[in-house]
Amino acid sequence: DKISKEIESKFGHQLRSRVNGVLIENEKILMVKHLMGNGREFWSTPGGGMVYGMNAADNLKREFLEETCLTIEVGEYLFVHEFLKPPLHAIELFFEVKILDGLAVLGKDPELSNTDQILADIRWMSIEDLHSLEKNSIHRIFWGIKSLSELVL
């Protein structure tokens, strides 16, 4: 369908460097739902592709503002994850983040047109909320965890 083709043309068949922010407050993590085409959805932490010449922290601040309307402080580097689900392939750097200003509101992906947005929802989720989702609809980093604190240890 149209969304799948747009994702593949913009982000597919290339190795991308990405940054992601783990924002946990009151035992809930901030998650963003992406429409992946063909009725598929994918929940992950806010983040996105890195812009050449901009460091990881500044890229993450930009991505968070675009996707969540939040101004953040980037904290500790947490871990790296390789996302490989053809046609998508990314090396993802995860960082702990804290809110400096704003309220979490769904933003937009500036790489996509207004009619082809894949960002569909923003939500604070508990570990129980994450476990209630279909395994293939959440980022792999959540598949085996029993507590959100496992992400930031």
Side-chain angles (χ1 to χ4, degrees), residues 80 141 149:
V80 65
I141 65 168
S149 63

Side-chain angles (χ1 to χ4, degrees), residues 13-25:
H13 306 288
Q14 59 182 312
L15 177 61
R16 298 181 70 222
S17 298
R18 291 178 40 87
V19 286
N20 292 74
V22 175
L23 176 57
I24 299 173
E25 289 191 352

